[in-house]
Amino acid sequence: MPVGELFNPRSIALVGATDKSGWSISTLTNLRTHGFRGPVHLVNPRGGVVHGEQAHRSLSDIPGQVDLAYVMVPTTAVLPVLSEGAKLGIRNYVILTAGFGETGPEGAALEAEIVDFARENDLTVLGPNGNGFINAAADVTPYGLPIPSPLLRGSVGVVLQSGALASSVLGFAQARNVGISLLTSMGNESLVTVTDVIDYLVDDPATKAIALFLESVRDPAAFSRAARRALLAGKPIVALKIGRSRLASRTAQAHTGALVGDDNVIDAAFRQLGVVRVRSLEDLIITAGLLAEVGPLPGPRIGVVTPSGGASEIIADRAEDEGLELPAFAPETVARLREIVPAFGTVQNPLDVTGYVLIDRTLLGRALEAVTADPGVDAVMLLSDLPRVAPPDPAPVYAMFSASAKRMADAPMPVVVVSNVLTDVTEFGRDVQREAGFPYVAGGIEHGMHAIGAAVRWSRAYRAAVEAANGAVPAEAAVSAPAVEAGTGMWAEHRAAALLSSAGIPVVPGELVYDEESAVAAAVGFGYPVVLKAAAEGLGHKSDIGGVRLGLSDARDVERAYREVVAAAAAVPGAGRVGALVQPQRGGGVELLAGIVRDPAWGLTLAVGLGGIWVEALRDTALRVVPVDAAEVRRALDELRGTALLRGARGTEPADLDAVAEVVARVAAFAESLGDDLESLEINPLLVRGSHVEALDALITWRDRAGG
């Protein structure tokens, strides 16, 4: 839904204005004191004087056009207001009134009436149960809570699914000198959604970064489209998504289900979409502020300049946490720094220029200039606090910060400024920053290092997205599914493996048999040693019931194993006809899991990780939302703690990770091609030995279509 007119009205009517309402008082005060230049009309059914101004009895009494109606009337009066406004040609509404879908079935029914009416009459409605918005870039502030002064205008767009937190977020942004372009309190999102606002901010020239507070992602497909637009536009999205849940199983039969939880899927989806996820409101604003300031960073190699040895050690620890590199300085940089840093200092990265900065005010700046010239560094972090209290003669302070700002502006690489601790920026510090042109200062080493790490990760995702959009990354070939009539329940290994094989997925050969003689014949055909597995419809994890025998080396072993696994399977209730699957024994290599499970919100989700018997014990998996290509799978493999095993730990044969990624991507594409009836598809183990990749076991579960 387009929301440009909603956020940029030239005239506003406050419907339900009354001296008894704090929301009414705050909304009018915000409009009057924060720069709105258009007419503001007050509407009260009794007329008279409200907030010291003459009020109209209805929208119909207002002379001239109204672009936005800000509605504060009782719940049952909202629809009549919209009806009157629609007849007058008013297309845009903010509904502050609560008492709708958030209160239960009766309120939901009232909200549904509003939605139906708005859609029939092509109305744009923000809310209900929301505080409105602050379009700081355009000086439009129909917002129901007090706005702290001064309202800092900047380039961070803020979208909140919590009206109660809006004032706290706004206050913290001001405290850290982070200016906003737009802040929106979404309310119930009956019509205008978070996705609509993201789309607006992507196209908004005043916005450089987007900060989201999310209680839920209501439409993952729409959110994904908007997030991809933002990524390609170079506008970072930083999100605080609450509501982390414990891991919950999707299907009883697949290991994958036990590894995929709601929050894990959201993590995976955000990572793929280039959305930076944070865990606190402080990180939300600080990270968005930094990304709006510096944009893409060239890489993870950070040079650090500080006036503190202790801070250097904290930074080194946090850099490792964030996956940042602190490379040794180049010889020419070391030589230059030795001429700058006092003899009692140590030239290394992070660089402590020592407390001598209190004597030589140029020391920090000269060291910064040397480090920004280092060829082995992608960006530089400068530890520096804005001044808090004005000295009797502030001129030297302004001069020093102006000189530093010029050095950073002239530097051949980005410079990120971080303060020692998280404190408010004072009025004097704000003034020095503005007058000197000093860049944004991320608040505190802890939050600042997290923001730099997030910026590096976002920059990597941004470059990959641009390369893919420009055709630098080849598209994956589509995988065509053979003609398959979707089943019900679970397909055990013999059926699942046959389906995978028919789609060109490498699967260990096998033969289904129903007597000892046939089992021996199959074993002879494959060559010893062989594996025998119980086979029956609906039989899942065969090893759990003693239905697997390994390393069978002769006919007698096969005959005995056949009797044992069949007996074990026959004891399972509802097993039906029981036989055995004979396969050649495979050895060596590394066993992986490649599983697909359907998330109720995001759809098919891939889990790839260490497999075999260690799946749930180690839980070393990486998740991705399907579709994925081989490059994305390759990145997922690199995230595994056990990736060293794949790379050939202790002299073992290294796995061809590109070959693994190609096969796993084909499995994911094949699962997607099976349509909406697929619940899960799991290969465990997927044997990897050098460039040889082969599924040794498989399981498919179909959705219960009768149950939805």
Side-chain angles (χ1 to χ4, degrees), residues 581-597:
L581 187 64
V582 184
Q583 297 172 330
Q585 174 90 37
R586 299 298 197 220
V590 178
E591 293 183 344
L592 297 180
L593 161 83
I596 311 287
V597 68

Side-chain angles (χ1 to χ4, degrees), residues 117-141:
F117 181 84
R119 286 176 175 159
E120 289 170 4
N121 292 274
D122 194 26
L123 306 183
T124 301
V125 176
L126 177 63
N129 188 34
N131 291 321
F133 65 87
I134 301 169
N135 186 349
D139 298 326
V140 183
T141 54

Side-chain angles (χ1 to χ4, degrees), residues 483-508:
V484 177
E485 182 178 350
T488 58
M490 185 183 64
W491 282 13
E493 180 180 359
H494 58 287
R495 293 185 72 185
L499 182 60
L500 289 169
S501 182
S502 68
I505 308 298
V507 177
V508 64

Side-chain angles (χ1 to χ4, degrees), residues 192-280:
V192 173
T193 66
V194 166
T195 301
D196 296 326
V197 183
I198 293 173
D199 277 327
Y200 171 82
L201 293 172
V202 171
D203 297 327
D204 176 28
T207 300
K208 294 182 180 179
I210 301 167
L212 308 178
F213 177 86
L214 300 175
E215 293 173 344
S216 65
V217 180
R218 303 189 183 197
D219 186 343
F223 181 88
S224 297
R225 287 193 296 271
R228 290 189 185 99
R229 283 192 68 226
L231 186 61
L232 285 172
K235 293 194 176 183
I237 295 178
V238 183
L240 172 56
K241 168 66 178 68
I242 61 171
R244 285 180 284 165
S245 63
R246 65 182 179 83
L247 295 178
S249 177
R250 293 277 177 255
T251 63
Q253 297 296 336
H255 281 299
T256 309
L259 297 168
V260 177
D262 295 342
D263 201 60
N264 296 38
V265 176
I266 289 169
D267 261 347
F270 281 11
R271 188 181 301 112
Q272 285 171 257
L273 295 169
V275 175
V276 174
R277 191 173 185 185
V278 295
R279 303 294 184 185
S280 70

Side-chain angles (χ1 to χ4, degrees), residues 370-422:
V371 174
T372 56
D374 191 292
V377 169
D378 297 313
V380 174
M381 171 186 165
L382 173 66
L383 196 68
S384 178
D385 284 286
L386 289 168
R388 297 186 58 79
V389 180
D393 180 10
V397 176
Y398 283 95
M400 180 179 69
F401 276 87
S402 294
S404 294
K406 185 177 187 308
R407 280 193 173 96
M408 286 182 268
D410 294 341
M413 63 183 63
V415 178
V416 180
V417 186
V418 177
S419 64
N420 283 277
V421 294
L422 182 59

Side-chain angles (χ1 to χ4, degrees), residues 372-679:
T372 56
D374 191 292
V377 169
D378 297 313
V380 174
M381 171 186 165
L382 173 66
L383 196 68
S384 178
D385 284 286
L386 289 168
R388 297 186 58 79
V389 180
D393 180 10
V397 176
Y398 283 95
M400 180 179 69
F401 276 87
S402 294
S404 294
K406 185 177 187 308
R407 280 193 173 96
M408 286 182 268
D410 294 341
M413 63 183 63
V415 178
V416 180
V417 186
V418 177
S419 64
N420 283 277
V421 294
L422 182 59
T423 55
D424 291 357
V425 177
T426 65
E427 283 302 319
F428 177 62
R430 197 189 318 276
D431 187 65
V432 169
Q433 187 171 26
R434 181 179 59 253
E435 293 299 321
F438 200 76
Y440 169 73
V441 180
I445 295 173
E446 172 66 25
H447 299 290
M449 292 300 294
H450 179 76
I452 295 172
V456 168
R457 292 187 289 275
W458 174 82
S459 302
R460 188 181 299 125
Y462 168 64
R463 285 190 291 271
V466 171
E467 289 173 1
N470 292 335
V473 178
E476 294 298 309
V479 176
S480 299
V484 177
E485 182 178 350
T488 58
M490 185 183 64
W491 282 13
E493 180 180 359
H494 58 287
R495 293 185 72 185
L499 182 60
L500 289 169
S501 182
S502 68
I505 308 298
V507 177
V508 64
E511 185 173 337
L512 183 62
V513 298
Y514 290 98
D515 56 62
E516 296 177 28
E517 183 179 349
S518 298
V520 171
V524 171
F526 289 128
Y528 291 106
V530 296
V531 176
L532 215 67
K533 302 175 182 178
E537 289 302 323
L539 185 61
H541 299 304
K542 301 171 287 294
S543 59
D544 292 347
I545 62 165
V548 178
R549 296 293 184 273
L550 306 175
L552 307 177
S553 58
D554 56 32
R556 184 175 300 176
D557 284 348
V558 171
E559 290 169 348
R560 181 178 63 254
Y562 180 88
R563 292 191 296 271
E564 292 172 349
V565 301
V566 167
V572 176
R577 187 185 184 191
V578 177
L581 187 64
V582 184
Q583 297 172 330
Q585 174 90 37
R586 299 298 197 220
V590 178
E591 293 183 344
L592 297 180
L593 161 83
I596 311 287
V597 68
R598 187 174 298 279
D599 181 83
W602 293 88
L604 294 180
T605 304
L606 166 70
V608 59
L610 294 183
I613 63 174
W614 302 107
V615 174
E616 293 184 21
L618 296 179
R619 291 186 176 274
D620 186 13
T621 56
L623 303 184
R624 293 294 188 271
V625 175
V626 175
V628 294
D629 58 17
E632 189 63 46
V633 176
R634 183 70 167 77
R635 286 189 285 271
L637 292 170
D638 287 338
E639 294 172 12
L640 299 176
R641 297 191 305 275
T643 189
L645 296 175
L646 293 168
R647 297 183 185 280
R650 294 184 177 271
T652 58
E653 182 181 12
D656 183 342
L657 294 180
D658 290 333
V660 177
E662 176 65 30
V663 170
V664 173
R666 286 182 60 80
V667 171
F670 176 59
E672 190 177 22
S673 74
L674 293 175
D676 293 339
D677 287 312
L678 180 70
E679 177 67 34

